[in-house]
Amino acid sequence: MSAPGTPHFNIANLVFDNRTAHAASQFDMVDQFGAAFHVVVARVAYTLGDCGADGMASLNALSLPAPLLTEDRHLDGDTQGGTVQESDFAPYKPRCDVIVNGAAHAPQGLAMGQFLVNLRVSAGAKLLIDKTLQVCGERFFRRKSIVKRLLQGCARVATLGLLRPNPWRLSPHEKFVQLPLHYAFACGGQCRLDTRDGKRHESCDSNPLGRGFARHWYLDAQQLTTVPAPRIFYPKQPCTAEQFWQGMAGKDLPPPAGLAPIGRGWLPRRTLAGSIREKEQWDRDEVPMLPEDFDFAYWNCAPADQQCAHLAGLEQFTLTNLCRHDHPAARADRIGNTVLRFALPQQALFLLLADAHDKLLVLRLKIDTVLIDTDAGTVELVWRAIVPADAGQVAARLMHVTEPEQIARVELLEQAQQALAGDAHDE
């Protein structure tokens, strides 16, 4: 017998029929208030074709369907190395994630000290995403020479401690041609020390993989005089020697910069998971619920400035200096930057839903994840729709249309449904 207040999950069955050439699946989820939903997810994949006369690369459908990811995929298969893609079986994403996996490439393939990369997404005249990062060559925080530190110490004494000169400096960056856009090269990191007295460990909550995060106790114990500096950052928020020094005392570094997914346990993402309720003993048939303050934005894994409203097709993407200068899908702009442009195909993935009386309903899936791999030359779209389990639907057929006339018919059906729903509401 269940304890009082224990939720019972008796979710109505939905018969799912995938009539498309793409990988798709249906599963159920329950929100924090006990409401149940049917979730349908599908993945459509393309390869980047050659750049056309209009400066746009084509998207060519894969001959075999790209499988849905049932678990997170990590860099080089290392769960501690950063996430490349997250499982497709998120119940709901309030916004669309745009993820870019790959590297920054110097314009014209010429080694240089630093340059900018950019990701832009637009729908017609509306700009949805416009993100610019700066990348630079290898550089280090170096402890100043003993002579300079002695002179600084004298200056501090002379000013009665008012002047606190920084004993660290940032070296000039070296020239480079390409840099993987991994969070290991962004602001962040961790300090770990094993001693006879035990272990001591501190990490950057917003990016434990990065560089530039250090504590006095760690540097002193290791007797370090050189520390790798971040190489990926926002142009207006570089990590300076002053910030590095202040960070040793516990002050925050600039936010990590990247184009890949944010870790599930990193700040600020993990705060969206809500307040976890701890219980010493669970009843045998009691099911743990999501926290009441759980925010479904937790399932959005892209940085906040790479999220936008759900997409439907025809949106344009522009990537600058995010692929090789000789990539067949890209071309150089007037100042030599490598620009890759493409537009999502016009199409519609939709469900034909039927209730017990064979009454049909049309529900379109929306794109909530765009995965761009510039090294592999692929673009993958994850589509999703949710259906309330108590809506009386007993069967769902997934359909895919690409012709304008077919899409127009789907739109007409949607308009008719909305009109009927409005009339019913008025009555």
Side-chain angles (χ1 to χ4, degrees), residues 264-281:
R264 293 182 183 274
W266 299 3
L267 288 178
R269 184 182 178 187
R270 73 170 180 241
T271 61
L272 301 174
S275 306
I276 306 299
R277 190 182 94 173
E278 295 185 5
K279 244 182 127 173
E280 293 184 0
Q281 184 175 356

Side-chain angles (χ1 to χ4, degrees), residues 103-115:
H105 293 264
Q108 304 178 60
L110 302 176
M112 55 182 60
Q114 59 183 352
F115 57 88

Side-chain angles (χ1 to χ4, degrees), residues 10-17 26-28 36-40 350-364 385-397 417 421:
N10 185 18
I11 302 175
N13 184 46
L14 181 71
V15 178
F16 178 65
D17 179 15
Q26 184 269 319
F27 61 98
D28 297 327
F37 298 86
H38 304 301
V39 183
V40 174
F350 62 96
L351 292 173
L352 277 179
L353 296 162
D355 62 15
H357 304 288
D358 292 332
K359 182 180 178 180
L360 296 180
L361 188 69
V362 172
L363 177 64
R364 269 211 248 196
I386 59 173
V387 181
D390 61 0
Q393 309 300 329
V394 298
R397 177 177 295 174
Q417 285 175 184

Side-chain angles (χ1 to χ4, degrees), residues 366-389:
K366 297 179 180 179
I367 302 170
D368 67 11
T369 312
V370 180
L371 298 154
I372 305 169
D373 190 322
T374 52
D375 290 341
T378 58
V379 176
E380 300 186 55
L381 311 178
V382 179
W383 303 68
R384 199 177 317 270
I386 59 173
V387 181

